[in-house]
Amino acid sequence: MSISNSVIARDGAPAVPRRKVAVLSKRQRKIRNALVAYSFIAPNFLGFAVFTLGPILFAFALAFMHWDGSNAITFAGLDNFWRLFEDKAFIAAFWNTIIYTVASVPATLLCALGLAVLLNQKIAGRNFFRTAMFFPYVASLVAVAVVWNMIFNPEMGPVNMILYTLGLDPKNMPGWAADRHWAMVTVILFGIWKNMGYYMVIYLAGLQGINAELYEAADLDGANSWQKFIHVTVPQLGPTTFFVTVMLTIQSFKVFDQIYMITQGGPGTSTLVLVYHIYNEAFISWDLGYSSMISLVLFFLVLAVTVFQFRRQREDEA
Amino acid sequence: MRIAGRKVTIRTIAIYVIVIAVTLIMLMPFAWMLSASLKLSRDVFAFPIEWIPSEPQWQNYVDIWTKIPLALFIYNTSKLTIIVTLLQLLTSSFAAYAFAKLNFPYKNTLFLGYIATIAMPWQVYMVPQFLLMREFGLNNTHLALICLQAFTAFGVFLMRQFYMSIPTELCEAARIDGMNEYQIWARIMLPLSKPALSTLTIFTFVTTWNDFLGPMIYLTKTELKTVQIGLRMFISQYSAEYGLIMAASVVALIPVLVVFLVLQRFFVEGIASTGLKG
């Protein structure tokens, strides 16, 4: 402070027009740097705090309240929590979410990995194939769900028509989305078809990170393609596979749109999942406290997977 | 076997067979959609499938614009998507610069807050968010959707990961040359982060354009609706008009297809270089 003050003349005007930085003390510089940094963060953070962080905290509080959105809020204690165990729809939704996850995660993962390995080779039209595989992921869900519904239409759709020409008895034909036993299968197949390309791209990025020398060494040892795949590719892709598993699992817990468009949770409760139940309780029944309690269950499911991921990652790094 | 002077092995043939078969499965629904969009509704389910209609019904593509206000829906969606994408790119890359290259108090705490919400399903807080917007009087406004989609933790995280890979020495050299932090962001970081910006553009554009649940909850007035809920409305109103439904679906897909094809070469690069993969 004292040194920089000395350049200021008696009348208070700077004697020498020096660069501002020079007249700042260490503390002032620190504050100034922090203010600059905060100015970078502020535009995003303000929106993020108001529209994301705030509602998240509010959601946790709402889970312990009774509210229909217009009349007074009352404290509910654990009422909403105990209600979960008596709510048959919730129990169905919980198990359906688990079934969806357990079925679709490994299937999507294997398809994505297989395709990535194939499309990582130098084949003609590689970029076209990659783009084609990825396109369902970016295509509008509403549009593709409509066509999917029509393709799997039990009476007139091409899929059952093909099964019919192959000699399958019309009586044993799967009813797909309209059939209790096939509805979940339909939704799972749709999910795999839609998401596979995205995870394939992640695997492609993972494959490009593998050191080519490892394959050269394997070649010198006389390894064939399959051996190289099992002993080099798969282990090297370990972190990617783990990441994909976690992302897929979280995504499966959150499944909603495709179910809304294809089965509306039915027939009965055969494809009702957690998010669908949250949606129903909130925007159909206006039971906001209870819907927030179901959200909390979903949150803890996702949290468990995320914590597990961070632990694993730390172990891998250690 | 030799084709065009190159040695072709069984293995190569097998690879092509698998890849082509899978590609057909992936593209079949789109081909059927396109084909059905040019047919009369009663011909859509004709089997065996006539892939190229003998009498293409171009009229379907004329009728959809009058049966529903499709042009208005497209205008609404374009407006939302462009504003959200621009805001997202701007605020995310701005914030990410501070998180990646500057030091300030509570940096790690704040960043942890961002990370923690990435894994948080939107559905967990969509109800309180809806109540908040209603409190602000933003129901049935496009502003509500802009607010809830423009400031994401995901964007900040993606950009930050990319900026971390840019050498800090570059920023220091610029500082010595007399650039301030805003200039460094604008003249050094932004031009270098094209792959990450492209990745974020594709993600944001596609998510906003295709968003279904958000507009469904917030927009009940027809004149505010987006393509996706408009399409859904169309499906329930004209459930037997398959040809028209398919034509509208094709139209709803085109913008995403264009953006994706233009930016896709950056896409793998972006995912790989951010190390984010999500």
Side-chain angles (χ1 to χ4, degrees), chain A residues 37-41 44-45 48 51 69 124 129 134-135 138 140 146 193 198 243 254 260 275 279 282 299 302, chain B residues 16 23 26 91 94 104-105 114 117 119 121 123 129 134 182 210 212 216 228 235 253 256 260 267 276-278:
Chain A
Y38 287 134
S39 76
F40 272 98
I41 292 168
N44 188 280
F45 185 76
F48 172 73
F51 299 107
F129 291 125
F134 191 78
F135 190 59
V138 294
S140 138
V146 182
W193 174 82
Y198 174 71
F243 181 85
K254 300 194 283 189
Y260 184 88
V275 175
Y279 174 82
F299 168 69
V302 170
Chain B
Y16 276 103
T23 306
M26 299 310 270
T91 67
F94 211 49
F104 55 91
Y114 272 97
T117 58
Q123 290 83 0
Q129 199 178 47
R134 200 179 62 177
Y182 305 102
N210 289 340
F212 175 62
M216 188 169 76
Q228 307 309 330
I235 294 161
L253 282 179
V256 166
F260 175 59
F267 197 67
L276 169 76
K277 309 162 183 171

Side-chain angles (χ1 to χ4, degrees), chain A residues 67-101:
Chain A
W67 199 26
D68 62 4
S70 43
N71 294 311
I73 304 187
T74 54
F75 184 64
L78 290 174
D79 284 7
N80 291 325
F81 181 70
W82 299 124
R83 211 181 126 185
L84 293 173
F85 298 93
E86 289 152 24
D87 178 3
K88 284 197 181 114
F90 167 76
I91 292 165
F94 184 85
W95 288 115
N96 285 338
T97 307
I98 303 285
I99 291 169
Y100 179 85
T101 305

Side-chain angles (χ1 to χ4, degrees), chain A residues 149 152 154-155 174-183 186 262-263 266-267 270:
Chain A
N149 264 337
F152 282 85
E155 276 109 44
W176 302 110
D179 183 330
R180 274 191 91 82
H181 306 290
W182 285 93
T186 313
I262 294 181
T263 61
S270 59

Side-chain angles (χ1 to χ4, degrees), chain A residues 221-241:
Chain A
D221 291 340
N224 63 31
S225 319
W226 179 251
Q227 287 167 327
K228 276 190 274 186
F229 175 71
I230 291 295
H231 297 292
V232 180
T233 313
V234 173
Q236 287 289 312
L237 284 176
T240 310
T241 301

